[in-house]
Structures are given as structure tokens and as C-alpha cells.
């Protein structure tokens, strides 16, 4: 079986190669613009070609490759591990100063420094070196514009890292309909350029304010270390900084840096989210149900995406799901797939129900189902059109009336008292600011992981709908009650998220992206229930469902569920 990270690693290498190619193209365009000379076009072309095929360009491409591999390493670390849970200001503060973030912030600052040096070296100026021969002194003088740009590059790299990786989660963004790589890149170019030049204004403004206030300190350190004089007007004066115009150069180079990292991010996202076909059964490769089990990792996203595509357009692989094992005659492919799909839906439903209960423990059956098994299936009502492998009456389940009883021991009492006291302590105004739970953070955290849940629901619904014509053994119809029950339970818990009176105030969403994800999830679950109910509308009363579930599906049968 393939290692968990093998698929991701292979795609990451392809993404790096794509990124180096596009970044090289960007550098060539920059050289062509810098060397522009409309009066002497031949000399313009000659100078541009000499720069493009010169040693400096080759060195820059090598540095660019190193930066790309470094960025790929960072993305690998953030995509291959589950999102961390930070629900308080104190936990967010501790996360900022974690060893991984400190290391990555240093590396990103160096990345910004080298990228700024790369772009400034392509320009017709000497702002990529710190020293020059003094005009009025006997010795070497400091080129403060170069120092300004180099420190600015380190700040821009650090700013981007904090803004994109620390203060907001890094998650893979899978498109609803995957297009060709070149087509996606062409569609994204205009947005990348506009966003890069627009987003570069604020960090440049912050850096200029910082340099005006404290720029004399790094300048003094560099001057002392290299024994340099300063003969030009100092840039820590607002008038000198504005006159020099170097802030315009910093803004231009920062815009190019943002265009570069946005291009890298877009290319990585396009390559990493490309659909992949997982085998239904295999002894040497990662199968679909095993990949679905890695639901919090990258392979789980690819598997859920593949399940959705396969259920809609790949009839050959659907037939593999409906086949029986030989010898034995067991629906192993379907059983393995269904188990992993229901696990994803149940776990998400449990989390939503936990939030709807304001963090109080909820009494959920370990199977995540209602007691529909206690009702014997009406086997005499099954027709020839609706096949079912298990037509024999099912035994009534014995209820364990004592399973939810709390053992009132001394240790349990002490634990409850300690938790109550800690809860009251955290409600104090000063303590609550640092240790109190932030508004809607848990719900936003949960919704950022909802994309595989949507695809799993859609994939399950379309496979079930296709089974009416393709499943000649009836392996799917046997599990219809489980599927319908879990989808209805998920739908009912999601409905509470749109009713402010039923959900705790601290879980009411205010983030636009989280609201879109919530609405998309609710719409997807309703669409899946419609797909199954309308497909089996002629036989819906033959399916042994719990009375509550039968009542819940009536609006779908009448097409009145909006």
C-alpha cells in the first residue's frame, strides 16, 4: 500500500516544477519591460536576450528553485496535518510562538529578502548592494536605499507568512468542477495581478512608518559592522523618504513578490486538487475506502472528491461496488465504502449536535442511528423491482437501560466540581478575555472541514440512486435505512444552525466564508435526500424506516422542502 504522503509528495514536486516555469516567465517579462527602448528596438532585444541568458539570470533561477522547494515544504507541513484547534486568544497567542511558526517565519523572511534581491538585481540600478565609493569621503559609503529594500523584503515575507498561515487557516480549496491546468491559470492571471498590486499597499505603508520611527537603529548597526559612512540624506525622515522615491520601488517589488507567491499558491492549489482515481479494490494501491478513512488528511479530500465524480459519471467503477465477493457472496466493496462514508457523516453530525447543545454532552447512539432496527421490515411488501439481500425479519435489539447511568463515585463528583469552578473562573472579565472561547470559532473551524462531508453525501446519494438500475444483487437497498437515517439526522442538526433562537449566541456566524460554507452544506444535504427519496418514491414505504424518519421525508416526497 502507498504511504500516506506519497501522493501528496509527488504532486508537490510537479507543482514546484510548474511554479519555477511560471516564475521564470515572470522574470523574463520583467526584464523585457525594464530593458524597453522604443527608439532603439534592436538594442532593446539584444540587451534583453543578454540579460535572460546571462549568468545572473541563471543564478536567480537557482535561487528561485530553492525558494519554491522551501515553500513546497511549508505547504506540505500545513496540508498533511489536521487543522489545529485554537478557540481562545491565549491558545492563538501560544500558537504564534510555536517552534514551527518561529522557524517558518525566519525562513519566510529570508525568502522575502532573496526574492527582493532577485527583482532589484534585474533593474538598472545599484540598489542590490550595500556599499558604494564615497563622493565626499575617503572610503566606502552606505547605500541606504539598498538597506531599505532588503529589510523591506524581510518584512514583506514575514507579513505574508503571518497573514496567510498564522492568522487564517491554510486549507486546500477544491473547485466544484475541475478544469485543465492551463485554463485555470489563464482565468486566474488577471485576479492574481490585481490582488497582488492591491494587497501590497498596506504592508509597504506599515514598513515605511516603522522605518521613519526606528530606521536609524538598523542603519547604525549595519554602518558599524561594515565601517560605512552615510553621505546621503537619511531615509528615516519622512520628507527625505518621499523625495527619494524608494518607497515606490518597494511597492513595485512588493507587488511582484505578492504576484509571485499568489502564482505559487494558485499553481500549487491547481496541481494538488486535481482529481485522482482510487481503485475500488487492490492489494498494492491505496483503495477508495482506505483513503476515505484518512478524512482529516489530504488523501481524504481526494477520496471524497473521487467518490463524488465516480458516483455521477463512472458506471464501470460503480459496478465494482455492487459486485459480490467470490467465494462467499458478500458485498465487501459496498460494505467497506459505506462504513467509511457513514463514519464521516456521523462524526460531523455529532460535532454539529455538540455545538447545538452549547458544548454539553449529547446522548448519541454509538452507531449514530435511531432505533429503526427495532422495527421489523415489512418483507411481504417487497416487490420484484426493489431488491434486498436481507429479506428475513431482523431480530429486535435488546435495550440496555443502564448504559447511560452515571456512576456517582467520589472521583466523578470531584471532577464535576473542578470543571464547574474552572468554568466560573473563566467567566471573570479579565480572565475571560484571554481564556474565554471566541465567538463562532468552533463552528467556523468545523465548517472549514465540511467540503469532504458534502462530497461524501453527494457520492453516497448518487451511488444509491444508480443502484436501482445497476445493482442486480440488491446490496445497496439493504442499507437504505441507515443511509436515510444518517442524512436526515445531519439535515435536522444543520437546520438548527440557521435558527438563531435554537443555537447558542456564541455560535452565531459572522464570517462571510463560513456562512457560504454552511449554506452550501445545507443545500447539498437537502439535494442528496431529494435524490434518494425521489428515486425510490414508488418503494419508499417498503423501506423499514423509523416513524420519525418517515415523517421527516414527507416534505421531500411532496417536493415542499425548500
Amino acid at each position: 500500500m502507498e504511504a500516506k504522503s506519497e501522493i501528496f509528495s509527488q504532486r508537490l514536486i510537479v507543482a514546484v516544477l510548474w511554479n519555477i516555469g511560471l516564475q521564470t516567465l515572470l522574470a523574463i517579462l520583467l526584464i523585457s519591460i525594464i530593458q524597453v527602448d522604443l527608439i532603439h528596438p534592436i538594442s532593446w532585444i539584444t540587451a534583453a536576450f543578454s540579460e535572460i541568458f546571462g549568468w545572473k539570470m541563471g543564478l536567480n533561477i537557482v535561487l528561485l528553485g530553492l525558494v519554491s522547494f522551501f515553500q513546497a515544504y511549508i505547504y506540505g507541513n500545513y496540508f498533511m496535518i489536521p487543522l489545529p484547534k485554537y478557540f481562545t486568544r491565549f491558545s492563538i497567542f501560544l500558537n504564534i510562538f510555536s517552534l514551527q511558526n518561529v522557524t517558518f517565519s525566519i525562513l519566510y523572511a529570508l525568502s522575502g529578502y532573496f526574492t527582493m534581491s532577485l527583482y532589484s538585481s534585474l533593474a538598472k540600478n545599484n540598489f542590490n548592494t550595500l556599499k558604494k565609493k564615497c563622493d565626499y569621503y575617503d572610503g566606502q559609503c552606505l547605500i541606504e536605499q539598498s538597506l531599505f529594500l532588503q529589510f523591506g523584503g524581510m518584512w514583506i515575507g514575514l507579513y505574508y507568512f503571518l497573514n496567510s498561515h498564522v492568522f487564517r487557516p491554510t486549507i486546500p480549496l477544491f473547485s466544484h468542477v475541475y478544469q485543465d491546468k492551463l485554463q485555470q491559470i489563464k482565468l486566474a492571471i488577471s485576479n492574481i495581478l490585481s490582488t497582488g498590486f492591491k494587497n501590497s499597499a498596506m504592508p509597504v505603508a506599515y514598513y515605511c512608518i516603522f522605518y521613519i520611527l526606528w530606521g536609524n537603529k538598523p542603519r547604525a548597526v549595519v554602518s558599524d559592522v561594515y565601517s560605512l559612512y552615510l553621505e546621503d540624506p537619511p531615509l528615516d525622515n519622512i520628507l527625505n523618504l518621499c523625495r527619494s522615491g524608494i518607497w515606490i520601488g518597494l511597492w513595485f517589488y512588493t507587488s511582484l513578490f505578492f504576484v509571485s507567491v499568489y502564482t505559487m499558491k494558485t499553481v500549487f492549489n491547481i496541481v494538488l486538487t486535481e482529481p485522482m482515481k482510487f481503485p475500488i479494490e487492490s492489494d498494492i494501491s491505496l483503495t477508495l475506502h482506505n483513503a476515505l478513512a484518512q478524512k482529516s488528511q489530504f488523501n481524504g479530500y481526494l477520496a471524497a472528491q473521487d467518490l463524488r465524480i465516480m458516483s455521477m459519471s463512472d458506471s464501470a467503477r460503480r459496478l465494482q461496488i455492487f459486485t459480490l465477493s467470490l467465494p462467499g457472496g458478500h458485498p465487501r466493496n459496498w460494505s467497506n465504502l459505506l462504513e467509511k462514508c457513514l463514519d464521516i457523516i456521523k462524526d460531523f453530525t455529532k460535532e454539529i449536535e455538540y455545538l447545538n447543545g452549547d458544548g454539553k454532552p449529547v446522548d448519541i447512539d454509538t452507531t449514530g442511528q435511531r432505533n429503526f432496527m427495532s422495527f421489523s421490515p415489512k418483507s411481504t411488501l417487497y416487490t420484484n423491482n426493489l431488491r434486498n439481500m436481507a429479506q428475513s425479519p431482523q431480530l429486535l435489539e435488546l435495550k440496555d437501560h443502564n448504559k447511560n447511568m452515571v456512576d456517582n463515585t467520589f472521583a466523578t463528583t470531584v471532577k464535576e466540581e473542578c470543571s464547574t469552578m474552572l468554568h466560573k473562573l473563566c467567566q471573570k472579565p479579565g480572565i475571560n478575555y484571554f481564556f474565554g472561547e471566541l465567538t463562532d470559532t468552533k463552528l467556523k473551524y468545523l465548517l472549514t472541514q465540511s467540503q469532504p462531508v458534502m462530497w461524501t453525501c453527494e457520492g453516497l446519494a448518487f451511488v444509491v440512486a444508480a443502484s436501482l438500475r445497476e445493482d442486480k444483487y440488491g446490496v445497496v437497498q439493504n442499507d437504505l435505512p441507515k443511509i436515510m437515517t444518517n442524512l436526515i439526522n445531519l439535515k435536522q442538526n444543520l437546520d438548527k444552525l440557521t435558527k438563531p433562537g435554537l443555537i447558542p449566541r456564541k455560535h452565531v456566524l459572522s464570517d462571510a466564508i463560513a456562512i457560504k460554507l454552511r449554506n452550501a452544506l445545507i443545500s447539498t444535504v437537502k439535494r442528496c435526500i431529494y435524490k434518494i427519496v425521489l428515486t425510490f418514491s414508488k418503494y419508499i414505504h417498503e423501506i423499514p424506516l423509523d416513524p420519525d424518519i418517515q415523517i421527516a421525508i414527507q416534505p421531500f416526497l411532496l417536493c415542499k422542502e425548500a
Side-chain angles (χ1 to χ4, degrees):
M1 184 180 291
E2 297 181 33
K4 290 183 180 180
S5 61
E6 185 176 342
I7 297 172
F8 186 82
S9 301
Q10 292 172 355
R11 294 193 171 202
L12 212 54
I13 294 173
V14 174
V16 167
L17 297 177
W18 270 86
N19 182 46
I20 292 174
L22 288 175
Q23 297 291 349
T24 303
L25 180 62
L26 180 64
I28 292 173
L29 291 175
L30 179 61
I31 291 174
S32 302
I33 294 172
I34 291 173
Q35 300 287 340
V36 65
D37 188 355
L38 297 177
I39 300 176
H40 306 91
I42 297 177
S43 61
W44 168 25
I45 296 173
T46 304
F49 270 94
S50 63
E51 286 286 341
I52 291 171
F53 294 101
W55 66 269
K56 187 185 296 184
M57 185 65 179
L59 179 61
N60 288 333
I61 291 175
V62 172
L63 291 175
L64 184 63
L66 294 176
V67 170
S68 296
F69 276 103
F70 150 70
Q71 291 170 335
Y73 173 74
I74 289 183
Y75 268 71
N77 277 273
Y78 277 99
F79 279 149
M80 288 304 294
I81 59 176
L83 286 172
K85 299 180 181 180
Y86 303 123
F87 302 140
T88 65
R89 289 182 176 89
F90 184 73
S91 61
I92 293 174
F93 178 79
L94 290 181
N95 171 58
I96 292 175
F97 296 99
S98 65
L99 180 60
Q100 175 175 303
N101 279 344
V102 170
T103 305
F104 284 171
S105 62
I106 295 173
L107 293 176
Y108 246 109
L110 293 175
S111 172
Y113 169 80
F114 286 122
T115 305
M116 195 67 68
S117 300
L118 186 153
Y119 289 131
S120 62
S121 66
L122 299 177
K124 295 179 179 179
N125 56 49
N126 58 348
F127 289 161
N128 58 331
T129 59
L130 286 173
K131 303 176 184 179
K132 70 172 184 177
K133 188 175 181 181
C134 296
D135 296 329
Y136 307 106
Y137 301 97
D138 185 15
Q140 297 288 323
C141 284
L142 175 67
I143 304 177
E144 193 175 3
Q145 290 88 341
S146 179
L147 180 68
F148 183 84
L149 290 178
Q150 291 180 7
F151 274 102
M154 296 175 69
W155 155 248
I156 296 304
L158 182 61
Y159 177 88
Y160 176 79
F161 171 73
L162 292 175
N163 196 43
S164 299
H165 294 284
V166 175
F167 296 122
R168 65 179 62 177
T170 301
I171 56 176
L173 299 175
F174 288 76
S175 58
H176 192 70
V177 178
Y178 188 86
Q179 296 175 310
D180 182 68
K181 294 185 184 70
L182 290 175
Q183 180 69 18
Q184 290 191 64
I185 291 172
K186 285 192 292 185
L187 292 174
I189 284 176
S190 60
N191 183 53
I192 289 172
L193 291 174
S194 61
T195 306
F197 279 87
K198 180 179 67 176
N199 291 352
S200 61
M202 290 309 297
V204 170
Y206 293 149
Y207 177 71
C208 289
I209 294 172
F210 164 79
Y211 201 87
I212 291 170
L213 296 176
W214 292 287
N216 60 323
K217 295 180 180 179
R219 183 182 65 222
V221 171
V222 173
S223 298
D224 291 341
V225 170
Y226 292 100
S227 300
L228 301 176
Y229 299 100
L230 180 66
E231 63 178 5
D232 299 323
L235 296 180
D236 56 342
N237 182 285
I238 187 170
L239 294 178
N240 294 336
L241 182 62
C242 292
R243 283 198 209 100
S244 68
I246 192 63
W247 59 274
I248 299 176
L250 178 62
W251 171 77
F252 181 70
Y253 293 142
T254 301
S255 301
L256 292 178
F257 174 78
F258 277 120
V259 169
S260 171
V261 294
Y262 290 157
T263 301
M264 175 271 300
K265 193 173 182 179
T266 302
V267 169
F268 277 28
N269 203 74
I270 291 173
V271 174
L272 292 176
T273 59
E274 184 178 4
M276 174 181 177
K277 287 187 177 182
F278 291 90
I280 302 299
E281 51 182 340
S282 175
D283 296 328
I284 58 175
S285 300
L286 185 65
T287 58
L288 181 59
H289 68 271
N290 285 329
L292 282 170
Q294 303 172 19
K295 53 189 174 183
S296 62
Q297 299 178 6
F298 183 75
N299 289 350
Y301 279 78
L302 287 179
Q305 182 189 41
D306 180 46
L307 173 64
R308 175 181 175 273
I309 296 173
M310 179 266 295
S311 66
M312 294 181 179
S313 59
D314 197 339
S315 57
R317 293 169 68 204
R318 286 200 303 268
L319 288 177
Q320 287 185 272
I321 296 175
F322 303 141
T323 56
L324 301 178
S325 62
L326 295 173
H330 301 292
R332 288 177 182 168
N333 294 338
W334 166 249
S335 298
N336 291 333
L337 185 63
L338 178 65
E339 180 186 1
K340 299 301 183 289
C341 292
L342 292 185
D343 283 345
I344 293 173
I345 298 174
K346 290 174 193 173
D347 290 344
F348 195 83
T349 304
K350 193 179 298 183
E351 294 289 342
I352 294 291
E353 192 164 355
Y354 180 82
L355 289 180
N356 288 335
D358 196 15
K360 298 176 182 177
V362 290
D363 181 17
I364 303 178
D365 194 322
T366 55
T367 61
Q369 306 168 21
R370 297 173 184 255
N371 293 325
F372 66 86
M373 296 295 286
S374 60
F375 294 86
S376 301
K378 302 173 184 178
S379 57
T380 56
L381 296 179
Y382 278 84
T383 65
N384 292 330
N385 292 326
L386 185 61
R387 299 165 295 282
N388 194 294
M389 290 187 66
Q391 295 185 5
S392 58
Q394 299 181 8
L395 297 176
L396 297 178
E397 288 187 346
L398 297 177
K399 297 182 179 180
D400 183 5
H401 296 284
N402 297 323
K403 66 179 180 180
N404 293 323
M405 293 181 63
V406 180
D407 187 10
N408 296 317
T409 61
F410 177 74
T412 305
T413 306
V414 171
K415 185 178 179 180
E416 290 178 355
E417 289 295 329
C418 290
S419 61
T420 304
M421 186 167 56
L422 284 174
H423 180 72
K424 290 181 179 179
L425 185 63
C426 288
Q427 297 304 313
K428 301 296 180 181
I431 299 176
N432 184 62
Y433 180 82
F434 292 101
F435 298 96
E437 182 182 313
L438 294 172
T439 305
D440 74 7
T441 48
K442 285 188 177 180
L443 186 52
K444 284 196 293 187
Y445 169 81
L446 191 61
L447 289 172
T448 55
Q449 305 174 79
S450 63
Q451 203 163 28
V453 180
M454 295 188 225
W455 290 337
T456 302
C457 292
E458 283 187 298
L460 204 55
F462 277 87
V463 166
V464 170
S467 70
L468 188 61
R469 288 183 296 179
E470 300 176 4
D471 179 14
K472 62 181 180 179
Y473 300 110
V475 299
V476 173
Q477 282 82 33
N478 185 42
D479 296 308
L480 269 176
K482 295 181 186 177
I483 298 168
M484 290 299 302
T485 300
N486 281 279
L487 288 176
I488 291 294
N489 285 344
L490 177 57
K491 185 258 179 187
Q492 290 175 343
N493 280 283
L494 288 172
D495 284 344
K496 296 179 183 179
L497 298 180
T498 59
K499 300 174 182 177
L502 297 180
I503 189 171
R505 187 176 182 84
K506 64 182 178 180
H507 297 317
V508 176
L509 286 174
S510 58
D511 185 77
I513 296 178
I515 292 173
K516 288 182 180 179
L517 286 172
R518 181 197 63 190
N519 294 339
L521 180 59
I522 294 173
S523 176
T524 299
V525 173
K526 288 182 180 180
R527 187 165 62 250
C528 294
I529 298 175
Y530 265 121
K531 184 70 177 178
I532 297 175
V533 169
L534 294 180
T535 302
F536 291 91
S537 58
K538 295 181 181 179
Y539 321 105
I540 201 70
H541 298 295
E542 302 178 22
I543 303 172
L545 296 172
D546 182 83
D548 291 341
I549 304 300
Q550 291 178 353
I551 293 172
I553 66 174
Q554 288 306 311
F556 292 93
L557 280 171
L558 301 174
C559 297
K560 291 184 177 181
E561 178 64 48

